[in-house]
Amino acid sequence: YLTMAVLGVYSIGVMLSSAVGVAVTRLAGSVFFGAFSQVARERRGDVGREYYAARLRLDLLAMPVLGATMVFGPALVGLLYDARYHDAGWMVRILCPRVALQCVLAPCSVLMIAVGHSRQLFVGNVGRFLAVWTGIPVGWWLGGLPGVVWATTLAELPMLVVFLRAMHRDGLLRPSRELFAPAAFAGVALASWALGT
């Protein structure tokens, strides 16, 4: 049910929505792993503080851009591509929350490895795989192509749950601080929507 033409349109939606996510993932892997590992070895009690300091910088970088992209995505697609690709616009709107989740998960994955919880990374990836494997056919049955795209977005949630539980168990989780990323994403999205109407 996914033709090559549809996959081509989807790939444009992924490309436009994921640029920030790619940058965050690379930064988390190349810079934060060493920093988190050193703090975990030398000052274990400071790991949470260092993690959230790094997360704040990433959240301030990524979430406003993704919130604005979610709102203006269709206009951006219309500006860059002809009418054959306009469906990529609504795909961008669904995929931006997925990339926002990935921007939270990338530094969290690095933290899990740095503090010796690589098993949680495996469990989270299994959860993501199962969510995709079951979610795509269910999404198609419930909502057609938009349902499939939503399934790929929601498939990030199992890993988030696994990571947050592990952080809570280690005393690293700060629930109020975890609210900053969705608040920044939603706040800029609402402001962009108000600006565009």
Side-chain angles (χ1 to χ4, degrees), residues 11-134:
S11 69
I12 290 173
V14 170
M15 179 186 66
L16 291 176
S17 63
S18 64
V20 173
V22 170
V24 167
T25 300
R26 288 180 179 171
L27 184 63
S30 62
V31 176
F32 293 153
F33 177 72
F36 294 165
S37 297
Q38 182 176 359
V39 174
R41 286 193 309 268
E42 299 174 359
R43 297 173 283 119
R44 179 67 180 232
D46 292 336
V47 172
R49 181 177 59 80
E50 292 291 334
Y51 168 73
Y52 280 111
R55 268 284 305 280
L56 179 62
R57 294 191 290 271
L58 291 180
D59 291 346
L60 287 171
L61 167 72
M63 298 304 161
V65 174
L66 289 168
T69 302
M70 184 178 73
V71 173
F72 295 120
L76 182 62
V77 170
L79 183 66
L80 297 175
Y81 299 95
D82 62 45
R84 293 173 298 168
Y85 302 100
H86 283 186
D87 277 350
W90 63 258
M91 292 181 185
V92 168
R93 286 190 163 167
I94 299 174
L95 291 170
C96 278
R98 173 179 136 189
V99 178
L101 283 168
Q102 291 171 343
C103 288
V104 171
L105 291 170
C108 198
S109 298
V110 172
L111 176 67
M112 291 292 102
I113 297 171
V115 298
H117 289 334
S118 55
R119 179 176 176 273
Q120 306 305 319
L121 189 60
F122 172 76
V123 172
N125 277 312
V126 169
R128 176 192 280 159
F129 168 77
L130 292 175
V132 169
W133 189 68
T134 59

Side-chain angles (χ1 to χ4, degrees), residues 170-186:
D170 279 10
L172 302 174
L173 182 65
R174 299 180 188 175
S176 61
R177 180 57 189 81
E178 288 294 335
L179 294 175
F180 179 80
F185 178 88

Side-chain angles (χ1 to χ4, degrees), residues 126-169:
V126 169
R128 176 192 280 159
F129 168 77
L130 292 175
V132 169
W133 189 68
T134 59
I136 286 179
V138 171
W140 178 261
W141 180 63
L142 291 175
L145 184 57
V148 171
V149 181
W150 269 113
T152 65
T153 293
L154 297 176
E156 302 296 329
L157 291 176
M159 181 170 280
L160 180 64
V161 171
V162 170
F163 286 174
L164 292 181
R165 287 185 63 191
M167 291 174 66
H168 175 70
R169 190 169 57 245

